[in-house]
Amino acid sequence: MPQHAPTARICRDCDGFPMVAITTGTRHADGTRAILRITCPTCKGTGHTTPAALVRAGR
């Protein structure tokens, strides 16, 4: 019988692309561009979300 791997849930906020690089328009002294690396705050840079059953419910 074939074994099916469980599919990881893709984050709905970042759509599986958890990190982006944004250029600021300025350049460093060596000529390279200054960039900001931003991670998704929902999945914290993993690209996947945890199932609702595993999230602790509380007040």
Side-chain angles (χ1 to χ4, degrees):
M1 293 179 62
Q3 298 273 331
H4 295 287
T7 58
R9 297 176 187 250
I10 295 176
C11 177
R12 65 184 174 125
D13 292 332
C14 66
D15 203 26
F17 296 95
M19 185 176 285
V20 295
I22 302 170
T23 68
T24 60
T26 59
R27 293 185 182 263
H28 295 290
D30 63 353
T32 59
R33 292 191 181 266
I35 59 172
L36 299 172
R37 289 184 176 91
I38 309 297
T39 58
C40 175
T42 303
C43 65
K44 302 200 179 26
T46 62
H48 305 288
T49 57
T50 56
L54 298 178
V55 177
R56 181 178 174 215
R59 292 182 181 209

